[in-house]
Amino acid sequence: MHMITAEEKLKERIKELTCLYEVTSIIVNCDYDQVEDALKGIMHCLQKAWLYSEVAQVKLISDQYNIATPDFPDDPVYLESSVKVFNKKVGGLQVAYPRPKYNEDDFLKEEEKLLGNVCLEVGNLLERKQIKDNEIIIKRKMERADRLGILGEITAGIAHELNTPLANILGFAELLKTRVTKDTQASKDVDKIINSAIFSREVVKKLMFFACEMPHQMSLVNIGPIIANAVNLMEPSFKKKKIVHELNLGDQPIFLRVDTIQLTQVIFNLVLNAIYFSPVKGKIGITVKETNGNIQISIADQGPGIDPKTRDRIFEPFYSTKPVGEGSGLGLSVVHGIIKSHKGTIKYRSNKPKGAIFTVDFPKI
C-alpha cells in the first residue's frame, strides 16, 4: 500500500462524511415497503467511500436479505462488520477487493470505523421496519377480532330470531303429518318440510356455537381417549383416500376442563377438513401436548394450504373455500366459537413443504 498524503487523507475523510450523510438521508426518506432498495442504495454509498472505490464491492447477508453488488469477487479480501437488530446479530456487511491485487493492508482504519457506523444505521433501519411490521400484524389481528366480534353479535341475534319460527314450522308440520295419512304425496311433502326444518335448526345451532351462545357441560377429563375416539370414528374417511394418520398423545394423561361433546366437534371438524384437502395417500398428523400451562392440539395435513388472501376470513360463518354444494362454511366458525367459549385460541400456519397446520391452545384452568 502506498503512503497516503495529507491531501489524500482529506479526500478520504470527505468521502466518508459524504457516505454517512447519504446513508442517513436514505434511511430518513425510506419507505418501509422498499427497504431492499434502500439497502442497495446504502451499499452503493459504501462503494464510493472506499479508497479504491472503482473496484470496491459490497455484500449484505442477514436473516432476511442476501444482496451483493454485481461484481462481488469469488475470492475476496474484505472488511466485515455485524448488523444487529435489538442487540441480536442478524447478519453482516462486507466491503471487498479482489485478490491477489489487493490485500488486508489496503483497508484504512477509518474505513473500519465507517463500516461499523453504517452497520449501526442499517440495524436501526431494520429495527424500525420490524416495529412497523409488528404494528401492522397487531392491527390486522385487532381488526379481525373486531370483525369476528361484530359477526358474533349479529349471528347470535339472527339465531335467536330464527329459533322460534323454526320450532313453529317443525311443530305444525308434525301435526299436519298426522292429518294427511291417506294422501301419500302430501305426507311426502310434509316429510320434506320437517327434514328442511331440522336441517335449518342444525344450521342455527352451529351459528350459536360460533356466537358462543351454546351452554357448556364442563368437566375435568383426560382428553386423550376423547380425541382418540373422535379420530377412530373417522377411520372410513381415512381409508377412502388411503390417508396415513399419526396420533401422538404423549405418554402421560392430559387433563382439561372441557365440554367433551364440543371438544369432539372441534376434532371432527378440523380432521375432516384435513382429510378433504389432503391428497390421496397423504399424511395427517394429530399431536396433543402440554406446554407452559396450555394444552396444545395440532392437526397438520399435506394439502394445498390456505391462500394468504383468504386467510383472515376462514373463521367467518358461511365462508368456504370448498366448491359450491360441498361445504356450508360453518365448520371452522363452529370450531372458532367453541374454542373462544373455552377461553382458548386457534391459529393457522403453513406446513412445510406444503399443507396446513391448525394449532388449538386451551388454557389449563
Side-chain angles (χ1 to χ4, degrees):
M1 179 179 167
H2 74 277
M3 292 296 291
I4 298 177
T5 64
E7 187 181 352
E8 284 175 323
K9 281 185 180 180
L10 182 60
K11 281 182 182 176
E12 289 309 307
R13 294 301 77 71
I14 291 168
K15 277 160 69 175
E16 287 160 18
L17 288 169
T18 304
C19 174
L20 276 176
Y21 171 75
E22 288 177 350
V23 166
T24 306
S25 297
I26 288 169
I27 289 172
V28 166
N29 296 304
C30 175
D31 186 331
Y32 290 109
D33 294 329
Q34 296 174 322
V35 166
E36 189 165 330
D37 291 339
L39 293 171
K40 286 176 182 175
I42 290 167
M43 289 163 68
H44 180 62
C45 293
L46 275 172
Q47 271 183 297
K48 293 188 296 178
W50 251 241
L51 179 61
Y52 303 108
S53 56
E54 67 281 358
V55 290
Q57 301 295 327
V58 187
K59 182 188 279 187
L60 169 68
I61 300 172
S62 78
D63 54 353
Q64 292 183 54
Y65 302 99
N66 190 341
I67 315 166
T69 48
D71 299 316
F72 196 88
D74 294 328
D75 181 26
V77 54
Y78 61 86
L79 268 182
E80 184 174 26
S81 190
S82 298
V83 174
K84 293 182 179 179
V85 173
F86 299 113
N87 293 322
K88 180 186 170 187
K89 184 181 174 182
V90 297
L93 257 176
Q94 295 176 1
V95 181
Y97 292 137
R99 293 181 199 270
K101 188 176 178 181
Y102 299 90
N103 59 51
E104 284 83 356
D105 294 334
D106 289 311
F107 294 111
L108 306 175
K109 283 197 178 298
E110 290 79 7
E111 288 172 342
E112 195 173 338
K113 288 179 187 173
L114 173 64
L115 187 58
N117 286 331
V118 171
C119 282
L120 279 174
E121 294 293 339
V122 169
N124 289 338
L125 171 62
L126 296 181
E127 275 183 16
R128 288 203 289 276
K129 183 183 186 301
Q130 195 170 311
I131 290 166
K132 189 76 175 175
D133 289 346
N134 289 342
E135 282 176 0
I136 290 166
I137 290 165
I138 291 164
K139 188 181 175 186
R140 279 181 187 157
K141 281 183 178 176
M142 286 174 68
E143 285 171 353
R144 180 171 160 270
D146 286 347
R147 189 169 68 244
L148 287 172
I150 293 162
L151 267 172
E153 289 174 23
I154 295 166
T155 302
I158 292 169
H160 284 299
E161 289 294 326
L162 287 174
N163 251 341
T164 303
L166 277 174
N168 289 339
I169 291 167
L170 203 51
F172 283 110
E174 293 281 5
L175 281 172
L176 194 58
K177 190 179 177 182
T178 61
R179 296 178 187 173
V180 292
T181 48
K182 292 177 183 178
D183 189 335
T184 311
Q185 186 56 49
S187 185
K188 284 180 182 177
D189 290 343
V190 171
D191 280 338
K192 286 176 185 175
I193 293 169
I194 290 168
N195 289 335
S196 294
I198 290 168
F199 175 80
S200 300
R201 193 174 62 183
E202 287 303 307
V203 171
V204 167
K205 195 184 286 184
K206 287 178 179 179
L207 288 172
M208 291 178 80
F209 270 122
F210 169 72
C212 310
E213 293 279 322
M214 293 300 291
H216 296 311
Q217 296 292 323
M218 304 287 274
S219 55
L220 188 65
V221 290
N222 177 11
I223 61 171
I226 295 164
I227 293 169
N229 288 338
V231 172
N232 287 337
L233 286 170
M234 286 178 271
E235 198 63 44
S237 299
F238 287 122
K239 284 181 177 174
K240 191 176 178 183
K241 288 183 81 171
K242 298 177 183 175
I243 287 168
V244 176
H245 68 280
E246 285 184 4
L247 178 58
N248 183 3
L249 295 170
D251 301 325
Q252 300 298 319
I254 296 176
F255 287 91
L256 181 66
R257 190 167 295 282
V258 70
D259 183 311
T260 55
I261 293 170
Q262 292 183 12
L263 176 63
T264 302
Q265 275 193 288
V266 167
I267 302 302
F268 252 75
N269 276 311
L270 290 176
V271 175
L272 282 174
N273 260 1
I275 292 169
Y276 180 88
F277 289 107
S278 286
V280 174
K281 296 183 180 178
K283 182 179 172 183
I284 292 173
I286 303 128
T287 307
V288 184
K289 60 184 178 182
E290 194 169 339
T291 54
N292 302 324
N294 274 9
I295 309 298
Q296 190 176 86
I297 304 167
S298 295
I299 294 163
D301 65 55
Q302 296 175 332
I306 296 170
D307 188 333
K309 292 176 186 172
T310 60
R311 199 170 289 174
D312 286 344
R313 298 195 61 200
I314 56 175
F315 297 112
E316 292 178 9
F318 303 113
Y319 182 80
S320 178
T321 55
K322 295 176 184 175
V324 175
E326 291 194 32
S328 64
L330 286 171
L332 283 179
S333 61
V334 165
V335 166
H336 180 275
I338 291 170
I339 293 165
K340 187 181 174 188
S341 68
H342 282 75
K343 306 288 187 287
T345 60
I346 179 166
K347 292 176 183 173
Y348 161 83
R349 72 179 191 275
S350 296
N351 198 5
K352 302 293 182 189
K354 63 176 182 175
I357 301 174
F358 282 92
T359 304
V360 179
D361 281 292
F362 288 114
K364 186 158 182 169
I365 302 168

